[in-house]
């Protein structure tokens, strides 16, 4: 396929190069560049602000809006008309090609649309208008990773734009579904100075890391648990959870319950402030309502979290999150629960987060949130399948399944409830760890996937991003001022049919007959 990038010569940016390089990885693609006549450079005050933010907030290099003119101008101009033009210039390309893709950021061509949306307090929306399906654009909803830092959020938004363009090019002939979940921005964005004023006010306050906030007695993660063999939070609607006590040098998060030989255990991430990384710990949960002190059972030189513990083929296994190491590893219990051995690397050279397996009809499915370029680790959902637990992973034909920070990243094990299979997901649209949405799995096959949001879990006064239940042991985590907290109340609210249907009709979903493979 011949793909032409139509660029504004005053805005030759790194995210354009990411797109060109990703397209060039396919040997069947021929990539070329053309340049528009109009010049719409990113305003100087906005560029100055982004550079200042990267310095003050220590945002890592290779930003999406870095200028890389030499690399893009080195791409050869096409000697023949391209099959597809990706219009990144902000002007109408003078072409007669059968297909043109044009990204808009909250209704505005160019990166300034995303900056203005942040300045106005709007949720971010990337729309990819496609002449092959003019009735409905492709859409992505990136996370507002940190509204105090434009550079980080803009990096994530433009990374998602690259993923959306790649998905649209790969899935030609699969028209985007109608989206009525959220109205599209139609009015003009506020002028660039508003973005500068908005962020400059925040630059007046000193950049503070999460660990500094914790040291001042601020917000941190905690874990709640309860034993109730009769009814779950989903049945009760509201329930009180005891807070699992940790030590002063760490916090606890990502709880997973497991029962073995009549004893209940809670596996957690234990994050050490001194080591600046997480490890896996376990605490005993007793039927008299008491819990033991968490004890570290698995530690690596890199960060570990999200200890998905399960039993299969007569063995007890764990798949912890190890995105920092760019792999997904499988561990086997040697002496449960305190000794574990690394058994296999399930997939390598992929920065994948919160791997959550689903075993159905002899097939293994693995749900992960990958991080690509400068996206957050909660913008995207990918699915892989394997014929057995340690067999090679095969990417789903529709990957990335979702580019939506409110419905992508896993938040716990799959739940069978009321005859339905539910997938807990993190709602991170306006920030990491805001709430948990339960999605009903409507279809999971080799060629597609669909889910419908059916309910929301919240922790009163706190954020939350993990929920699990097993054998009457129910666990949740919460983010906020948890120091000294002994109890937290969590709630489950079913979504009304209208809300669920509207969310279901988002286009980052592959339409297919209902059913689970």
């Amino acid at each position: 396929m011949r793909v032409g990038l139509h660029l504004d010569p005053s805005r030759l940016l790194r995210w354009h190069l990411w797109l060109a390089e990703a397209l060039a990885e396919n040997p069947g693609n021929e990539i070329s560049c053309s340049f528009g006549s109009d010049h719409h450079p990113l305003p100087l005050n906005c560029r100055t602000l982004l550079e200042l933010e990267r310095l003050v907030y220590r945002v890592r290099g290779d930003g999406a809006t870095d200028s890389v003119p030499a690399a893009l101008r080195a791409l050869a101009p096409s000697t023949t008309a391209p099959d597809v033009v990706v219009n990144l210039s902000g002007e109408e390309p003078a072409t007669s090609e059968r297909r043109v893709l044009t990204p808009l950021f909250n209704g505005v061509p160019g990166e300034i649309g995303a900056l203005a949306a942040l300045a106005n307090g709007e949720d971010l929306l990337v729309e990819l208008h496609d002449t092959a399906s003019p009735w409905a654009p492709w859409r992505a909803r990136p996370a507002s990773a940190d509204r105090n830092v434009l550079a980080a959020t803009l990096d994530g938004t433009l990374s998602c734009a690259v993923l959306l363009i790649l998905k649209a090019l790969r899935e030609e002939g699969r028209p985007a579904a109608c989206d009525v979940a959220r109205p599209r921005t139609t009015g003009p964005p506020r002028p660039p100075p508003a973005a500068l004023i908005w962020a400059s006010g925040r630059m007046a306050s000193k950049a503070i890391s999460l660990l500094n906030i914790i040291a001042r007695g601020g917000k941190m993660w905690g874990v709640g648990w309860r034993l109730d063999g009769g009814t779950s939070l989903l049945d009760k609607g509201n329930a009180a959870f005891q807070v699992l006590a940790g030590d002063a040098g760490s916090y606890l998060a990502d709880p997973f319950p497991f029962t073995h030989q009549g004893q209940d255990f809670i596996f957690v991430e234990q994050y050490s402030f001194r080591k600046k990384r997480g490890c896996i710990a376990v605490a005993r949960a007793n039927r008299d309502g008491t819990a033991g002190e968490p004890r570290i059972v698995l530690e690596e030189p890199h960060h570990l979290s999200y200890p998905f513990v399960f039993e299969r083929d007569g063995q007890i296994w764990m798949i912890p999150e190890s995105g920092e190491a760019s792999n997904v590893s499988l561990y086997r219990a040697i002496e449960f629960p305190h000794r574990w051995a690394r058994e296999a690397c399930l997939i390598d050279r992929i920065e994948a987060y919160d791997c959550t397996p689903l075993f159905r009809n002899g097939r293994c499915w693995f749900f992960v949130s990958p991080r690509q370029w400068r996206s957050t680790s909660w913008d995207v959902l990918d699915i892989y399948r394997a014929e057995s637990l340690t067999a090679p992973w095969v990417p789903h034909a529709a990957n990335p399944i979702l580019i939506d920070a409110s419905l992508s990243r896993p938040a716990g094990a799959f739940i069978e409830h009321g005859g339905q299979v539910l997938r807990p997901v993190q709602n991170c649209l306006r920030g990491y760890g805001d709430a948990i949405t339960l999605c009903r799995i409507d279809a999971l096959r080799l060629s597609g996937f669909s889910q419908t949001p059916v309910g929301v879990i919240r922790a009163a006064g706190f954020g939350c991003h993990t929920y699990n239940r097993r054998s009457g042991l129910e666990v949740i985590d919460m983010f906020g001022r948890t120091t000294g907290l002994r109890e937290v109340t969590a709630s489950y609210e079913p979504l009304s049919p209208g809300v669920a249907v509207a969310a279901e009709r988002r286009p980052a979903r592959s339409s297919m007959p209902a059913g689970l493979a």
Side-chain angles (χ1 to χ4, degrees):
M1 177 169 57
R2 297 185 300 272
V3 182
L5 305 184
H6 189 64
L7 303 172
D8 179 338
S10 67
R11 286 192 352 266
L12 302 179
L13 306 178
R14 190 179 301 278
W15 78 276
H16 302 151
L17 183 61
W18 289 342
L19 175 60
E21 291 173 341
L23 289 169
E25 289 178 1
N26 185 337
N29 287 341
E30 177 186 316
I31 315 304
S32 63
C33 270
S34 61
F35 300 97
S37 57
D38 291 344
H39 290 66
H40 302 284
L42 197 63
L44 178 62
N45 52 12
C46 290
R47 181 167 293 284
T48 301
L49 175 60
L50 293 172
E51 292 173 356
L52 183 59
E53 280 189 335
R54 292 186 188 281
L55 175 66
V56 173
Y57 288 94
R58 297 181 181 180
V59 178
R60 65 179 183 174
D62 295 339
T65 53
D66 291 347
S67 183
V68 291
L72 287 165
R73 289 187 181 277
L75 293 175
S78 179
T79 56
T80 58
D83 301 311
V84 183
V85 169
V86 181
N87 179 19
L88 304 171
S89 69
E91 67 178 11
E92 196 70 31
T95 63
S96 58
E97 286 71 30
R98 62 182 179 85
R99 193 178 187 202
V100 177
L101 302 176
T102 305
L104 299 182
F105 300 89
N106 286 68
V108 178
E111 304 76 18
I112 193 63
L115 288 169
L118 287 167
N120 297 341
E122 301 171 12
D123 289 341
L124 294 169
L125 174 64
V126 182
E127 294 177 303
L128 184 63
H129 289 263
D130 185 351
T131 57
S133 54
W135 52 88
W138 302 81
R139 290 186 174 91
R141 293 180 174 82
S144 302
D146 188 342
R147 287 177 178 265
N148 291 330
V149 186
L150 267 73
T153 301
L154 192 58
D155 283 351
T157 300
L158 298 175
S159 297
C160 288
V162 173
L163 286 170
L164 188 64
I165 293 168
L166 295 174
K167 183 178 179 71
L169 288 170
R170 187 177 64 250
E171 299 186 13
E172 182 181 5
R174 297 186 186 184
C178 178
D179 184 352
V180 297
R182 295 179 193 165
R184 171 184 165 185
T185 301
T186 55
R190 199 171 292 179
L196 182 65
I197 294 170
W198 170 81
S200 296
R202 285 151 179 78
M203 293 296 290
S205 63
K206 188 178 180 180
I208 301 171
S209 69
L210 177 60
L211 297 182
N212 288 334
I213 293 173
I214 293 171
R216 296 188 339 186
K219 295 180 179 180
M220 60 188 294
W221 285 100
V223 165
W225 68 283
R226 62 186 288 268
L227 282 165
D228 187 339
T231 55
S232 70
L233 175 64
L234 308 190
D235 301 312
K236 294 170 68 72
N238 290 275
F241 288 73
Q242 296 182 66
V243 175
L244 182 64
D247 59 50
S250 64
Y251 68 70
L252 307 178
D254 294 353
F256 278 79
F258 194 83
T259 301
H260 181 63
Q261 296 180 350
Q263 175 66 58
D264 294 311
F265 299 91
I266 304 173
F267 287 83
V268 296
E269 170 202 346
Q270 182 169 328
Y271 185 92
S272 168
F273 303 146
R274 180 178 62 85
K275 297 178 181 178
K276 298 183 180 180
R277 68 172 185 267
C279 58
I280 306 304
V282 66
R284 291 177 181 266
N286 303 313
R287 294 286 163 173
D288 62 4
T290 62
E293 183 177 340
R295 173 179 167 183
I296 295 174
V297 297
L298 182 60
E299 189 167 10
E300 297 282 13
H302 52 265
H303 178 78
L304 295 175
S305 62
Y306 200 79
F308 193 105
V309 180
F310 61 102
E311 190 169 3
R312 188 168 178 82
D313 301 328
Q315 300 283 342
I316 300 175
W317 308 90
M318 182 199 301
I319 303 177
E321 182 267 298
S322 55
E324 187 177 291
S326 297
N327 65 43
V328 176
S329 293
L330 176 69
Y331 294 79
R332 181 170 59 89
I334 302 302
E335 293 178 5
F336 185 89
H338 296 124
R339 289 188 59 208
W340 297 80
R342 188 171 183 267
E343 192 77 8
C345 178
L346 299 180
I347 193 167
D348 201 8
R349 296 186 295 278
I350 290 181
E351 196 174 338
Y353 291 83
D354 294 354
C355 176
T356 303
L358 175 64
F359 305 108
R360 303 290 293 192
N361 301 328
R363 181 173 283 128
C364 305
W365 299 93
F366 299 93
F367 290 65
V368 300
S369 278
R371 183 172 183 171
Q372 294 183 274
W373 299 291
R374 298 296 301 279
S375 71
T376 73
S377 60
W378 52 90
D379 281 314
V380 177
L381 172 67
D382 277 353
I383 300 176
Y384 294 82
R385 63 178 173 84
E387 295 306 313
S388 67
L389 183 57
T390 57
W393 283 18
V394 178
H396 196 284
N399 281 351
I401 299 292
L402 291 165
I403 309 174
D404 188 334
S406 68
L407 290 172
S408 292
R409 184 161 171 167
F414 287 85
I415 302 165
E416 295 196 20
H417 183 266
Q420 299 176 336
V421 178
L422 304 179
R423 187 175 85 90
V425 300
Q426 301 182 32
N427 184 346
C428 300
L429 191 64
R430 299 186 67 85
Y432 183 61
D434 184 28
I436 297 168
T437 300
L438 294 187
C439 294
R440 182 186 70 235
I441 303 300
D442 299 318
L444 174 58
R445 299 189 188 279
L446 300 180
S447 59
F449 168 81
S450 63
Q451 63 180 18
T452 302
V454 295
V456 178
I457 293 175
R458 294 185 174 89
F462 297 90
C464 59
H465 74 355
T466 310
Y467 168 81
N468 282 294
R469 178 180 173 88
R470 184 184 179 112
S471 302
L473 176 57
E474 200 165 31
V475 292
I476 194 170
D477 60 8
M478 57 278 182
F479 181 73
R481 300 186 183 278
T482 60
T483 303
L485 188 68
R486 294 187 176 183
E487 186 177 277
V488 64
T489 299
S491 64
Y492 172 70
E493 180 183 0
L495 293 175
S496 65
V499 173
V501 168
E504 180 191 12
R505 295 178 68 182
R506 294 180 181 177
R509 147 186 193 269
S510 296
S511 177
M512 59 181 298
L516 295 175

